[in-house]
Amino acid sequence: MIASLVRILRLGIKELYSLRADPILVVLIVYTFTFAIYAVATGAKFEVENASVAVVDEDRSMLSARLRDALLKPFFKEPALIGADQVDTAMDAGNYVFIVEIPPKFEQDVIAGRHPEVGLDIDATAMSQAGNGASYIENILLNEVTAAMPSLAQTDPINLVVRAKFNPNLKSEWFTAVMQVINNITILSVILAGAALIREREHGTIEHLLVMPVRPVEIMLAKIWANGLVIVTAAILSLLAVVERLLGVPVVGSLTLFATAAVLYLFSVTALGILVATVSTSMAQFGLIAIPVLIVMNLLSGSTTPMESMPAWLQDVMQVSPSTHFVALSQAVLYRGAGLSIVWPQMAAFVVIGAAFFALATLRFRKALLSMQ
């Protein structure tokens, strides 16, 4: 047992030297956990920001001017004042996402209690921004009318108090930044482990391993711990430097617990990367197989859209993916400060899945080595 552990350690160190000698992979790791995290977190937003808006003001009253001035930055750009005959042309050209149409005699009708209608034309090409923006504008208009004419405000039967926990400012980058780290852990784990095996085959060093007193399982474990060490270290540094310090996203949970879970998770996804590499004959073929696998694992893991919004049968199918359980664990630990007593079922799930992947990858890897002898 001790001799086997020593061989695994030395083979893993060899993997680290091989990785250091490959500048492309080193740059990929650094880029993935630095600029890629920052760019996606600050660029891909779900809330409304700098949306283009125009106003058709056919009333030209103080109330209509107040409604127009209430569409403020950073949610909206400076509102443009256009005529009613320009609405269709402007929407067809994609010049504005929102166009507010204030009818004639709007202020008079409001004072008289006639409940005038304000039109809102929306370019729903970008559905998320369109839906959120419509709610923003509706609330802004209602609040401004109520503030301008408090005597018209009706007493609500209840007083609803909303408290947003874990992300009180409802910033999308708080969610996107952490989930991007999780997704990148999955992507790099598969790519590095698979690329390491194919690199051995293309460079001919796999033949050197065949004449050494090492077993296939030892070669696999060496690749797993070496690549896993690099990825976990990069992920923790990214959470501390990029997510927490640069983006200002608070990480409330235990990084020790997260790192422990990440190590167990890496055991399963690196085994998956080796499994994909054993059925690939070249690096190009490995990429073609790995890309659709990674897309499905990331998009349907709960890191992009909630699991509850998926069909029940698809939720059941995705339970065989370790990424689904790791995303749930990471959200619980990093966002809500959950402890081991809460997340141990997720840890157990991807350990079991990882053991199945590792066993299958070992069989495939052993068969691939025997075919080369």
Side-chain angles (χ1 to χ4, degrees), residues 56-118:
V56 177
D57 189 354
E58 296 184 293
D59 187 33
R60 302 287 178 166
S61 63
M62 293 185 62
L63 180 58
S64 64
R66 177 167 181 160
L67 297 183
R68 184 174 68 248
D69 295 338
L71 301 173
L72 302 174
K73 297 179 179 180
F75 303 118
F76 304 98
K77 294 180 180 179
E78 187 72 23
L81 193 61
I82 64 174
D85 58 337
Q86 299 176 280
V87 173
D88 291 338
T89 302
M91 293 296 288
D92 291 341
N95 295 333
Y96 306 105
V97 179
F98 305 100
I99 296 181
V100 180
E101 299 186 51
I102 303 176
K105 300 181 180 179
F106 172 72
E107 186 177 55
Q108 294 181 22
D109 291 341
V110 170
I111 295 174
R114 299 192 186 99
H115 304 287
E117 295 182 353
V118 175

Side-chain angles (χ1 to χ4, degrees), residues 204-366:
T205 54
I206 193 71
E207 285 81 0
H208 298 167
L209 295 176
L210 293 177
V211 299
M212 296 175 63
V214 295
R215 296 177 297 169
V217 67
E218 294 173 348
I219 299 175
M220 287 183 56
L221 287 174
K223 295 183 182 299
I224 288 174
W225 84 254
N227 291 290
L229 175 64
V230 173
I231 295 171
V232 170
T233 302
I236 296 299
L237 291 177
S238 179
L239 283 173
L240 292 174
V242 180
V243 175
E244 196 168 24
R245 180 159 297 184
L246 185 60
L247 292 172
V249 181
V251 178
V252 299
S254 169
L255 286 179
T256 301
L257 178 59
F258 172 75
T260 303
V263 170
L264 297 176
Y265 174 67
L266 285 167
F267 172 73
S268 60
V269 283
T270 49
L272 176 61
I274 294 175
L275 176 62
V276 174
T278 58
V279 299
S280 307
T281 58
S282 64
M283 191 70 77
Q285 190 179 64
F286 169 75
L288 290 175
I289 298 175
I291 287 174
V293 172
L294 291 171
I295 289 176
V296 172
M297 289 180 65
N298 285 343
L299 289 181
L300 302 181
S301 64
S303 62
T304 304
T305 57
M307 289 290 296
E308 294 79 7
S309 64
M310 303 177 192
W313 67 267
L314 186 55
Q315 295 183 41
D316 296 335
V317 170
M318 288 307 299
Q319 297 307 309
V320 302
S321 172
S323 62
T324 301
H325 304 284
F326 186 57
V327 166
L329 179 146
S330 300
Q331 292 176 349
V333 172
L334 299 178
Y335 288 132
R336 301 188 288 272
L340 181 61
S341 61
I342 295 177
V343 300
W344 72 263
Q346 286 82 18
M347 296 179 70
F350 55 68
V351 167
V352 172
I353 297 171
F357 281 162
F358 184 80
L360 185 57
T362 302
L363 293 176
R364 287 288 314 168
F365 187 45
R366 184 179 291 112

Side-chain angles (χ1 to χ4, degrees), residues 163-171 174 250:
R163 296 184 179 90
K165 298 188 66 176
F166 314 121
N167 187 357
N169 295 322
L170 303 179
K171 292 184 176 180
W174 283 31

